[in-house]
Amino acid sequence: MIQPLLTPLPARISTIRAGLLCRCPECGKGRLFAGFLKVVDRCAVCDADFTQLNTGDGAAIFVMQIAGGLVVFTALFVEIAFSPPMWVHLGVFLPLVLALSLGLMRPGKGVMIALQMKNRAGEAKIDD
């Protein structure tokens, strides 16, 4: 007689891909966010618990490094190569850094959550 599986099957989606798509890292189907950056308490598909997860400012740090690096080096290149007036820099690069920051924040936080779940990482606790 065949025994039913007691543990859920692993997701057929990679951890990084699930995070980038803002999907549940366990099943790859459920939504990870209820709002822009508010993580759902439980997956609607596989009932995975997200209440113990806390990425803190980890995703924001990576996004600032990526967006800032791209925009600063592009602005420096444009300044050296073309020497446009300052209003061109403000009109092009401020919206660019805003779009990159907002566009990368959800996937960045999704990847951080997915990696935290995959590695079973949590807060450090002092055992008495």
Side-chain angles (χ1 to χ4, degrees), residues 13-66:
I13 189 169
S14 75
T15 304
I16 301 295
R17 185 176 174 137
L20 288 173
L21 295 174
C22 301
R23 297 289 176 201
C24 171
E26 293 290 326
C27 66
K29 295 178 183 167
R31 296 179 58 121
L32 192 57
F33 296 106
F36 182 64
L37 291 175
K38 169 106 172 73
V39 180
V40 296
D41 291 335
R42 294 193 164 279
C43 175
V45 177
C46 69
D47 203 38
D49 184 21
F50 300 130
T51 57
Q52 300 298 320
L53 299 176
N54 183 11
T55 60
D57 292 333
I61 299 297
F62 287 117
V63 167
M64 283 190 296
Q65 296 294 321
I66 294 168

Side-chain angles (χ1 to χ4, degrees), residues 3 8 18-20 26 30 41 61 63-65 72-74 76 80 88-89 96-97 102-103 106 109 119 121 125 128:
Q3 295 277 341
L20 288 173
E26 293 290 326
D41 291 335
I61 299 297
V63 167
M64 283 190 296
Q65 296 294 321
V72 165
F73 287 117
T74 305
L76 284 173
I80 292 169
V88 172
H89 284 290
L96 181 61
V97 77
L102 293 176
R106 274 180 68 126
K109 188 167 183 173
N119 296 317
K125 296 178 184 173
D128 291 321

